[in-house]
Amino acid sequence: MVSLARTIRSLRRVGLREWWRQLQYIGDAKSGRFVGMDQFGNRYYENRNGEEEVPGRHRWVDYAQHDFNATQVPPEWHSWISHIRKEPPTQDPILQGYEPPWKSPYVENLTGTRGAFRTYNTAAPKIQPWEPKVASRGEQTSQ
């Protein structure tokens, strides 16, 4: 739970600059054990102290980019944050020792950015638009 004592304790643990940054980014001052970092530079933390953190909110990510969204978290770390896996990817022997050959590198969702996928059509249109034929004034048209 958020309390004045918890906020002051977090300020002492992480320092003034990081404390202010956390308040601006996640709206809460948190301190915990650094668990690991992914290929994008996102940092992952955990605080198992039941007096400081609400159960279920004791794992969090500190995004590397200012303009962040949830698709910047790779699947391995998402499974750890969502409590699907007990161990983080840096300590899980299954994830450490096996990389499937069919797995492609993870790319965040680019919807709404310049890199978003846009479809295009190479087939000719089935319906042609009507184009009126303009005749000069004074010419007679046969009906």
Side-chain angles (χ1 to χ4, degrees):
M1 296 291 178
V2 179
S3 68
L4 182 61
R6 178 179 171 267
T7 304
I8 293 172
R9 188 170 40 242
S10 179
L11 174 64
R12 287 182 180 161
R13 287 182 186 163
V14 298
L16 182 63
R17 182 176 179 182
E18 181 64 22
W19 176 79
W20 182 253
R21 183 179 176 279
Q22 286 181 1
L23 285 178
Q24 299 302 313
Y25 278 93
I26 62 175
D28 191 11
K30 291 179 169 259
S31 61
R33 179 178 67 94
F34 176 74
V35 176
M37 183 181 293
D38 65 12
Q39 66 264 30
F40 301 118
N42 300 328
R43 298 176 298 177
Y44 298 88
Y45 295 93
E46 181 177 36
N47 187 352
R48 303 287 296 184
N49 187 349
E51 296 176 3
E52 292 183 11
E53 296 294 333
V54 177
R57 296 191 61 191
H58 60 275
R59 294 177 179 172
W60 69 94
V61 59
D62 184 14
Y63 292 98
Q65 296 180 4
H66 174 70
D67 187 23
F68 56 86
N69 61 40
T71 65
Q72 294 171 345
V73 176
E76 303 88 28
W77 285 102
H78 177 265
S79 62
W80 176 76
I81 286 207
S82 303
H83 300 279
I84 296 169
R85 290 189 171 272
K86 184 177 180 182
E87 299 296 325
T90 54
Q91 299 171 2
D92 194 349
I94 295 172
L95 290 176
Q96 289 292 321
Y98 180 66
E99 183 73 23
W102 45 264
K103 186 177 175 183
S104 63
Y106 180 73
V107 179
E108 68 178 280
N109 186 354
L110 299 174
T111 301
T113 65
R114 291 180 149 221
F117 176 76
R118 289 185 180 84
T119 59
Y120 61 93
N121 191 358
T122 58
K126 294 179 181 179
I127 301 173
Q128 298 296 328
W130 175 69
E131 294 182 18
K133 296 180 181 173
V134 179
S136 301
R137 292 183 185 250
E139 285 185 25
Q140 296 290 330
T141 57
S142 61
Q143 293 183 6

